[in-house]
Amino acid sequence: MEQLDVLRKLCLALPEATERLSHGSPAWFVRGKKTFVMFADDHHGDGRLAFWCPAAAGVQEELVRTEAERFFKPPYVGPRGWLGVRLDVDVDWAEIDRIVREAYRLVAPKSLAALVE
């Protein structure tokens, strides 16, 4: 699956990022502990190919409000401000890279976050 392969490459390019299955789907962690991206392929039949990640305060609400065709509030982690990002639409991979990097910076220790542009 092309989208998963590209997402995997973006995530694993970050310092001390690791991948393992979490709840049956690929997920990426900082130092094997803190999740910064979770892949979701038709999660509980929602029909979406997407990923979920933490977002800065207010970002989820703004993107879901202004671009609902590309962004959504994911189950479980959405109430904590995580962002759902669709990969089954026309994808701007430069934008996805920025979103993944920001998610990483939000959960990584300051020493690692400082290494990410």
Side-chain angles (χ1 to χ4, degrees):
M1 178 179 307
E2 178 186 344
Q3 294 95 330
L4 175 57
D5 292 340
V6 176
L7 183 62
R8 175 178 284 126
K9 182 178 176 182
L10 295 175
C11 292
L12 292 177
L14 297 166
E16 298 188 45
T18 59
E19 177 182 343
R20 70 174 185 269
L21 291 180
S22 178
H23 302 89
S25 294
W28 292 271
F29 300 82
V30 178
R31 291 187 172 159
K33 296 179 183 174
K34 291 193 172 189
T35 308
F36 69 97
V37 170
M38 298 175 64
F39 185 71
D41 184 0
D42 195 28
H43 181 76
H44 292 300
D46 69 4
R48 296 181 182 123
L49 181 66
F51 70 92
W52 308 345
C53 65
V59 169
Q60 177 210 77
E61 294 82 6
E62 178 67 15
L63 291 176
V64 169
R65 183 179 62 77
T66 60
E67 299 185 65
E69 68 283 351
R70 297 185 326 129
F71 301 103
F72 62 98
K73 184 176 180 178
Y76 317 114
V77 293
R80 294 186 308 196
W82 280 46
L83 179 66
V85 182
R86 294 191 72 143
L87 297 173
D88 54 1
V89 296
D90 187 24
V91 177
D92 176 349
W93 286 107
E95 178 184 44
I96 299 300
D97 186 42
R98 288 189 299 273
I99 292 169
V100 166
R101 288 172 174 273
E102 181 59 25
Y104 177 91
R105 283 192 290 266
L106 288 170
V107 302
K110 289 180 184 179
S111 60
L112 292 179
L115 300 174
V116 178
E117 299 173 6

